[in-house]
Amino acid sequence: MTRMTVLSTLAFALCLAVAGCDPGLTLVPAGTGAATDTTGSGPDGTDTTVVVRGTLTVTAVVAGHDSALAAQLGWTTGVPGAEVRAFRLGQPELRGVTDAAAQVTFPSVLPGAYQISILRLLSEAERAALGAEHADVDALGGGGTATLVAPATGTAVSVRATRRGTLVISENFPSTWLGSQSYRFGTFVEVYNNGSDTIFLDGKLFGFGPFFVTDRPENGRPCSLTQQWQADPDGLWTTRLWRFPGTGQQYPLAPGEAAVVATDAVDHSLVDPRWPNLSNARFEFVGSADSDNPGAANMIQVGTPAFSDVLGHGPWFTGGSAIFIATNVDVATLPHVQPPGYVTSIPRIPRDSVLDVIVPLVTFGTFGYTPCEKIIHEVFDTGPWEIVGTSFMSIRRRWLGSALLRTGSTLNDFEVIAAPTPGTVP
């Protein structure tokens, strides 16, 4: 993943304290932002910079373990007909479709680092050709990075067959503003049964992923140190973790059913009609100062509640890290680390326990902090969304007609919607 502006918890708190912090929100692909490609000027102020453009060629290749599946579809050189999106800091999005040779070429583009996302939805005929053993494959997807050096650069990006999975995150509403004022208590995440069998949420884990996002050498946490946890392919190191309540079969989730986990399970539309009514949420977080809706089951804090109850309402969704769900594991038996400056140790949720991950990044600028190179390892997410500011929009997983899209890329899988739709899929 290319270097991007991300919001850490401390940067967010600083934003709230800075006069004039802009609450307007737009959603852009991670890696875009305000930048120019000109650095020189003549005596009269005219630009004198000469930029040599080049050609970027992207080839969509199939991951080795899916080569047999690709052969069933008649694909021998790669993935034809795949949508390719490429992003460079401060520049418009590049879009193209791979040809019969599984390639797409973007001519006359500026040199630099590009984040690439690839998605190939399967037709009904193609899905039928795969047979029953691949009935849960709806698409192939993947992502990566490439650095264009003029005059031309070619890169191969691996895509993989994407399984529907079972329990997935279907929507995230991270808005934290009410006009010019901050309001954080109407946020929520929605989980959904994307499989064909009933799931019991009892004991499942919910957490926020790697907290380390900016270079903080003054606190003993430079990127050179924290990347070992932030970009760990073997698991997610988490400072904030909860467990769904229940003893085994108290909280079933039927196929095609969604469950809302609210910061506060109340009707926030009474504060502003643009905020959602979460009084019917199935679960809620609890804090030291908020009301407790008896109709919403309380999420159970795991470990030390550091960073989890800043304002007395439990956690709220503002972006800045991954959001994940995982199977029931004994956290006490997991590897732990205590980074410099932390008062408690942090567990690592093993990769094979993680059911789903999304990476919606909310940014207000780093306020002097340098972002680290990676937010999360590609095995968990190959393409985050970057949300600039906040508003009343929500991000929702794309609906394919019979199931939700799950390619392991937040950028591929999610779409922006103008208003939240808690409990409703699609």
Side-chain angles (χ1 to χ4, degrees):
M1 184 186 307
T2 57
R3 183 177 296 269
M4 64 186 74
T5 304
V6 295
L7 174 67
S8 68
T9 298
L10 294 178
F12 177 75
L14 180 58
C15 172
L16 297 179
V18 174
C21 184
D22 182 8
L25 180 144
T26 55
L27 192 70
V28 296
T32 63
T36 66
D37 296 284
T38 58
T39 56
S41 61
D44 60 354
T46 58
D47 177 39
T48 60
T49 302
V50 177
V51 177
V52 179
R53 293 177 177 264
T55 297
L56 175 64
T57 299
V58 178
T59 304
V61 299
V62 178
H65 58 272
D66 285 323
S67 57
L69 180 148
Q72 287 181 262
L73 295 169
W75 301 343
T76 57
T77 59
V79 183
E83 178 186 350
V84 179
R85 302 162 70 182
F87 311 95
R88 181 185 177 277
L89 185 67
Q91 299 302 314
E93 173 184 330
L94 303 175
R95 280 181 178 263
V97 177
T98 56
D99 58 19
Q103 291 187 336
V104 62
T105 298
F106 301 106
S108 190
V109 296
L110 292 166
Y114 286 81
Q115 180 173 308
I116 298 169
S117 180
I118 299 179
L119 175 63
R120 174 59 155 86
L121 298 178
L122 297 182
S123 67
E124 287 298 322
E126 288 170 334
R127 290 186 58 207
L130 292 179
E133 70 272 23
H134 299 301
D136 63 341
V137 176
D138 296 304
L140 287 89
T145 58
T147 300
L148 172 61
V149 178
T153 297
T155 186
V157 177
S158 178
V159 297
R160 64 190 182 198
T162 59
R163 309 283 171 172
R164 293 180 183 179
T166 52
L167 187 62
V168 302
I169 296 170
S170 49
E171 186 174 349
N172 178 222
F173 179 60
S175 185
T176 58
W177 291 95
L178 179 64
S180 61
Q181 304 297 316
S182 61
Y183 181 79
R184 307 170 185 83
F185 314 130
T187 61
F188 70 87
V189 68
E190 178 187 82
V191 297
Y192 178 80
N193 185 346
N194 207 36
S196 57
D197 298 315
T198 295
I199 297 169
F200 291 94
L201 295 175
D202 306 50
K204 298 286 193 301
L205 294 174
F206 173 89
F208 293 85
F211 175 72
F212 317 101
V213 293
T214 54
D215 193 36
R216 302 299 299 275
E218 72 278 11
N219 291 340
R221 296 193 296 273
C223 291
S224 58
L225 171 67
T226 61
Q227 285 283 275
Q228 63 181 302
W229 305 307
Q230 186 175 337
D232 189 346
D234 296 324
L236 296 176
W237 297 91
T238 174
T239 57
R240 294 174 289 174
L241 188 64
W242 293 261
R243 195 180 298 280
F244 282 87
T247 57
Q249 295 188 338
Q250 290 180 260
Y251 297 99
L253 195 66
E257 184 181 6
V260 172
V261 185
T263 297
D264 284 346
V266 301
D267 185 358
H268 299 275
S269 68
L270 299 176
V271 178
D272 187 293
R274 292 171 294 180
W275 280 89
N277 179 358
L278 300 180
S279 60
N280 293 321
R282 195 168 183 187
F283 302 93
E284 71 172 343
F285 297 101
V286 292
S288 58
D290 64 347
S291 60
D292 186 9
N293 181 347
N298 292 334
M299 299 291 285
I300 302 168
Q301 178 79 48
V302 178
T304 304
F307 312 109
S308 299
D309 192 26
V310 179
L311 298 175
H313 288 253
W316 24 274
F317 299 92
T318 59
S321 65
I323 302 170
F324 69 89
I325 44 180
T327 59
N328 189 351
V329 293
D330 184 356
V331 176
T333 65
L334 300 177
H336 283 65
V337 68
Q338 187 167 344
Y342 275 67
V343 297
T344 185
S345 61
I346 297 172
R348 182 180 68 186
I349 307 302
R351 175 178 168 182
D352 59 3
S353 295
V354 176
L355 296 172
D356 195 34
V357 184
I358 68 169
V359 188
L361 303 175
V362 177
T363 71
F364 292 94
T366 57
F367 297 96
Y369 300 128
T370 302
C372 295
E373 287 290 341
K374 284 190 176 183
I375 304 305
I376 196 170
H377 196 279
E378 298 83 33
V379 298
F380 297 108
D381 192 273
T382 61
W385 273 112
E386 183 179 20
I387 305 171
V388 182
T390 54
S391 184
F392 293 96
M393 50 68 66
S394 194
I395 62 169
R396 183 174 64 186
R397 194 176 291 270
R398 294 170 59 183
W399 179 251
L400 297 178
S402 59
L404 293 173
L405 179 63
R406 181 176 175 269
T407 69
S409 165
T410 307
L411 181 58
N412 278 341
D413 295 348
F414 282 77
E415 60 185 353
V416 185
I417 55 176
T421 59
T424 302
V425 177

